[in-house]
């Protein structure tokens, strides 16, 4: 066996660098954060060859004094903290003093920097971590760092990189995240000499809206509320802009971009039932709290944070999100292709088809017609407009007219919402009313189903199911939830047992049972409805707390505006 030796400095540096400098995007992140820490107002990021050939970050921040330049590349050399207690309330991005030495260990670096009062700039040239030259140089105040030939001496790193296109996208994401958290700073991103992004100084809302994707500020739902002793601010995209993954989610804690699963889940919880399973909301959330209530030093690249009271943070963010969503009008507006005379019109019906199906956007329900529009009343915004039923379409949709709008209501989704809320109310009041069956029903079960039923007799009875066991494999069903009606009690009961079989405990079981019951009992597509039952459905839907989606997150109602009709008929 070989004896223990202290590693060569250059070897040790390269190993340590691996923690901080994982890929080109991590270099960009560290350099941009240094510029922000230096109070820059304008930051330019230039990247060539996906960041492996060159990364150049130019800022107009405070600069480094000539005497401090060599120190900047020493490990654990930082101007941002001095004592370990400072970590408790660190406000800057940096504090570990690791980024510059780590980057310098695995690339060629040229630093040019000048403080505002210095007569000239200082330029330092480094290769593989050692200073090869340092001297005076002509440059304006601020700092420019150039990182060339990244990973030239750690070929193993290169093997773990993704495709150049993907690495470049990660660089752009790092810049966008910094830009989101710093609307007061102007950013320019150049990729291979081409301008890929330019963000002028702006108000927070418009900067975030710009970065969250299509649609402006008006398309986002703002949120704001207290978290711990601080504040959560955020912008939520409407449910219909959800994605099949979490790519559109941006979370910041004290302006630090973090991958906090806790905060993402809290926001997602706020969207509960507004999105179908497997869809994820798009949002930006900025949490500002006392630095002492959050630990930022639990991850080498500072991508994670830990709150002193995670449960409280989760609850507060989920509630603020929920309130913001519930206070905003969420009826979807049907938007069809727009025709311009001579253009698509000339193409006729074929042109119409070529434009693809209509898309849905959110429709702001204006309050102008209401009595006191200046009074903020979430329940008023959330209310359905007054609807006049016109009839049924395709035995699936109810057609109705409201102020300047044509409405289509999915009869099944709407009724599901109505029944679900009724069950919820009944549960809160102690139990769901049951209705005895004229003829009790004997149901044969498998041993597994039998076990489920006997261990959930209390839950079933809370939900209005009257069940008695009768022999080893048989139960007698004597009553059903009163709202269930007489349709196929056997099926309904089996659905209920299916809901019991899914994972979960306590309240979750009741919730699943409510959903199964409402889903099975609701009017279905294909059911013919009388004018009376149509009217009743609309009245009942209007009485729900959350009339715009069913519990699966599908819309219950969409609107077609007068403007849209006029466009379709080429009236305007
Ligand atoms: P940290 O940011 O953790 O302090 P770094 O290695 O990233 O460590 O930077 C070391 C020091 O170099 C910083 O503390 C700061 O004083 C200085 N520095 C780095 N980049 C800049 C910059 N763009 N403008 C001014 N000073 C900088
Ligand atoms: Mg730093």
């Amino acid at each position: 066996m070989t004896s223990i030796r202290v590693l060569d400095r250059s070897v040790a540096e390269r190993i340590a660098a691996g923690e901080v400098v994982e890929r080109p995007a991590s270099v960009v992140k560290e350099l941009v954060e240094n510029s922000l820490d230096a109070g820059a107002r304008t930051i330019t990021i230039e990247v060539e060859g996906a960041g492996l050939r060159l990364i150049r970050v130019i800022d107009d921040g405070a600069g480094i004094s000539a005497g401090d330049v060599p120190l900047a590349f020493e490990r654990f050399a930082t101007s941002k903290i001095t004592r370990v207690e400072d970590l408790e309330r660190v406000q800057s991005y940096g504090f570990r003093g690791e980024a510059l030495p780590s980057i310098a260990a695995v690339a060629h670096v040229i630093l040019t920097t000048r403080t505002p009062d210095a007569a000239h700039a200082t330029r330092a040239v480094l290769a593989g971590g050692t200073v090869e030259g340092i001297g005076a140089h002509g440059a304006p105040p601020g700092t420019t760092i150039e990182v060339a030939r990244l990973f030239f001496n750690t070929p193993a790193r290169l093997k773990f990189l993704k495709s150049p296109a993907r690495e470049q996208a990660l660089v752009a994401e790092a810049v966008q995240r910094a830009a989101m958290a710093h609307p007061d700073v102007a950013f320019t991103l150049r990729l291979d000499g081409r301008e890929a992004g330019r963000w002028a100084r702006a108000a927070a809302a418009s900067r975030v809206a710009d970065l969250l994707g299509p649609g402006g500020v008006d398309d986002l739902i703002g949120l704001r509320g207290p978290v711990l002793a601080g504040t959560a601010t955020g912008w939520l995209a409407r449910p219909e802009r959800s994605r099949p993954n979490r790519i559109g989610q941006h979370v910041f804690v004290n302006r630090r971009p973090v991958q906090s699963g806790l905060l993402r889940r809290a926001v997602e919880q706020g969207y509960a039932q507004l999105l179908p399973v497997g869809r994820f909301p798009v949002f930006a959330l900025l949490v500002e709290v006392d630095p002492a209530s959050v630990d930022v030093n639990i991850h080498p690249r500072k991508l994670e944070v830990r709150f002193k009271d995670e449960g409280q943070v989760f609850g507060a963010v989920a509630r603020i999100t929920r309130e913001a969503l519930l206070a905003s009008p969420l009826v979807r507006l049907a938007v069809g292709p727009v025709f311009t005379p001579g253009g698509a019109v000339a193409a006729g019906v074929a042109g119409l088809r070529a434009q693809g199906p209509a898309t849905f956007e959110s429709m702001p329900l204006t309050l102008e017609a209401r009595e006191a529009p200046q009074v903020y009343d979430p329940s008023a915004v959330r209310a359905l407009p007054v609807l006049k039923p016109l009839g049924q379409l395709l035995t699936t949709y109810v057609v109705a007219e409201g102020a300047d709008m044509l409405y289509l209501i999915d009869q099944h989704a709407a009724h599901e919402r109505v029944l679900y809320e009724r069950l919820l109310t009944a549960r809160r009041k102690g139990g769901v009313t049951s209705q005895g069956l004229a003829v009790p029903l004997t149901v044969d079960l498998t041993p597994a189903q039998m076990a489920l039923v006997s261990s959930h007799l209390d839950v079933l009875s809370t939900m209005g199911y009257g069940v008695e066991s009768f022999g080893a494999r048989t139960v007698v069903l004597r009553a059903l939830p009163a709202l269930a009606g007489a349709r196929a009690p056997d099926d309904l009961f089996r659905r209920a047992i299916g809901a019991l079989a899914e994972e979960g405990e306590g309240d979750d079981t009741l919730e699943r049972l409510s959903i199964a019951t409402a889903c099975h009992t609701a009017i279905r597509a294909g059911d013919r409805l009388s004018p009376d039952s149509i009217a009743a459905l609309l009245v009942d839907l209007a009485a729900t707390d959350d009339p715009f989606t069913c519990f699966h997150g599908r819309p219950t109602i969409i609107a077609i505006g007068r403007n849209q009709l006029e466009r379709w008929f080429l009236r305007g």
Side-chain angles (χ1 to χ4, degrees):
M1 210 161 94
T2 43
S3 53
I4 299 178
R5 259 178 288 125
V6 173
L7 287 173
D8 244 25
R9 178 164 173 262
S10 74
V11 178
E13 296 266 287
R14 258 185 265 173
I15 292 172
E19 282 191 354
V20 181
V21 189
E22 191 193 23
R23 51 173 18 103
S26 19
V27 174
V28 169
K29 171 180 183 287
E30 292 294 339
L31 296 183
V32 168
E33 291 185 349
N34 278 347
S35 298
L36 290 166
D37 280 345
R41 300 274 288 151
T42 307
I43 302 176
T44 303
I45 301 100
E46 299 175 351
V47 171
E48 290 174 17
L52 295 177
R53 194 158 64 237
L54 180 72
I55 295 170
R56 183 187 288 126
V57 175
I58 307 159
D59 72 46
D60 60 354
I64 307 173
S65 65
D68 276 355
V69 167
L71 273 181
F73 293 96
E74 288 290 323
R75 191 160 293 278
F76 305 122
T78 177
S79 57
K80 296 165 193 174
I81 61 170
T82 49
R83 302 168 307 160
V84 77
E85 301 85 71
D86 292 348
L87 267 181
E88 282 273 297
R89 46 190 160 78
V90 64
Q91 305 266 12
S92 54
Y93 284 112
F95 54 80
R96 297 168 65 108
E98 281 187 312
L100 290 187
S102 298
I103 295 166
V106 293
H108 294 271
V109 174
I110 300 177
L111 165 76
T112 311
T113 186
R114 181 177 157 194
T115 54
D117 47 359
H120 51 72
T122 305
R123 165 169 278 200
V125 179
L126 290 94
T130 42
V131 180
E132 298 200 322
I134 191 161
H137 195 82
T143 302
T144 297
I145 299 196
E146 298 172 84
V147 177
R149 298 187 57 207
L150 182 63
F151 301 134
F152 77 97
N153 55 358
T154 51
R157 271 281 150 187
L158 293 172
K159 292 206 197 91
F160 288 99
L161 296 183
K162 304 199 165 112
S163 69
R166 185 74 195 115
E167 292 297 336
Q168 198 174 60
L170 290 170
V171 165
E173 277 171 30
V175 173
Q176 289 181 21
R177 270 194 290 273
M180 237 184 222
H182 291 273
D184 49 334
V185 176
F187 287 85
T188 305
L189 171 64
R190 239 174 253 130
L191 299 173
D192 294 319
R194 190 180 47 84
E195 184 171 298
R198 175 186 287 274
W199 297 278
R201 280 175 214 130
S206 58
R207 173 69 66 86
V208 167
D210 187 24
L211 289 160
L212 271 188
V217 185
D218 294 345
D219 223 29
L220 297 174
I221 298 160
L223 69 81
R224 192 177 176 80
V227 170
L228 298 180
T231 321
T233 318
W235 288 271
L236 310 168
R238 295 178 185 284
E240 57 268 34
R241 273 193 48 206
S242 69
R243 304 176 65 139
N245 50 46
R246 294 193 165 89
I247 287 175
Q249 307 189 346
H250 305 272
V251 177
F252 303 85
V253 173
N254 292 346
R255 299 221 190 174
R256 201 182 283 287
V258 290
Q259 299 170 336
S260 168
L262 177 88
L263 292 173
R264 284 170 188 245
R265 281 197 307 279
V267 174
E268 286 173 5
Q269 168 102 5
Y271 275 87
Q273 291 198 4
L274 292 174
L275 292 176
V277 175
R279 300 292 301 184
F280 299 92
V282 170
F283 62 86
L285 176 74
L286 291 93
V287 174
E288 300 283 336
V289 289
D290 178 357
S293 63
V294 52
D295 186 353
V296 292
N297 193 27
I298 60 168
H299 188 283
R301 273 172 288 128
K302 296 172 284 202
L303 295 177
E304 281 161 29
V305 291
R306 191 180 295 129
F307 292 96
K308 293 257 157 76
D309 190 341
E310 306 242 284
Q312 215 179 321
V313 171
F314 182 90
V317 170
R319 189 176 38 74
I320 297 166
T321 305
R322 190 74 186 162
E323 283 169 7
L325 287 167
L326 291 188
S328 67
L330 295 175
V331 180
R332 296 171 189 215
L333 182 63
V335 178
V338 179
F339 299 111
T340 46
V345 180
V349 178
L352 193 153
R353 289 219 186 86
Q355 305 233 5
T359 54
F360 300 111
E361 269 176 14
S362 199
M363 182 204 67
L365 281 180
T366 54
L367 286 173
E368 278 145 19
R370 292 176 189 277
E371 270 174 29
Q374 71 278 21
V375 180
Y376 174 72
D377 176 2
S379 63
V381 189
R382 287 294 285 173
L384 280 186
V386 177
L387 296 173
K388 185 174 111 196
L390 301 177
Q392 197 185 17
L393 179 69
L394 305 169
T395 55
T396 302
Y397 307 101
V398 168
V399 185
E401 184 183 355
D404 252 11
M405 291 279 176
L406 174 71
Y407 290 91
L408 297 176
I409 295 108
D410 181 318
Q411 63 194 39
H412 176 66
H415 200 214
E416 271 187 334
R417 166 55 61 188
V418 169
L419 295 181
Y420 171 77
E421 288 202 11
R422 255 186 223 163
L423 288 171
L424 210 64
T425 315
R427 269 162 52 190
R428 285 204 197 103
K429 288 188 177 149
V432 176
T433 316
S434 49
Q435 162 99 55
L437 289 176
V439 185
L441 197 71
T442 308
V443 186
D444 293 329
L445 301 176
T446 65
Q449 288 174 326
M450 197 66 201
L452 271 173
V453 170
S454 15
S455 60
H456 287 95
L457 286 173
D458 50 338
V459 179
L460 284 165
S461 106
T462 306
M463 287 299 300
Y465 291 87
V467 187
E468 282 167 27
S469 72
F470 179 78
R473 301 277 295 270
T474 316
V475 293
V476 177
L477 188 59
R478 294 196 179 277
L480 287 177
L483 51 70
R487 174 152 57 191
D490 192 346
D491 279 359
L492 174 58
F493 184 53
R494 288 186 185 282
R495 283 279 283 263
I497 298 174
L500 293 180
E502 288 162 32
E503 274 297 304
E505 289 190 345
D507 225 7
D508 274 349
T509 315
L510 272 177
E511 173 77 3
R512 285 200 311 278
L513 212 48
S514 304
I515 288 177
T517 306
C519 187
H520 186 269
T521 308
I523 298 167
R524 299 185 189 166
D527 287 352
R528 198 167 295 284
L529 301 181
S530 68
D532 281 351
S533 48
I534 289 178
L537 178 61
L538 296 185
V539 169
D540 289 344
L541 183 64
T544 60
D545 287 339
D546 203 353
F548 303 114
T549 47
C550 74
F551 42 72
H552 302 112
R554 291 200 296 114
T556 55
I557 179 166
I558 61 171
I560 301 169
R562 175 192 285 269
N563 291 347
Q564 182 62 62
L565 291 170
E566 282 171 356
R567 263 185 253 162
W568 279 335
F569 286 102
L570 304 178
R571 287 178 146 269

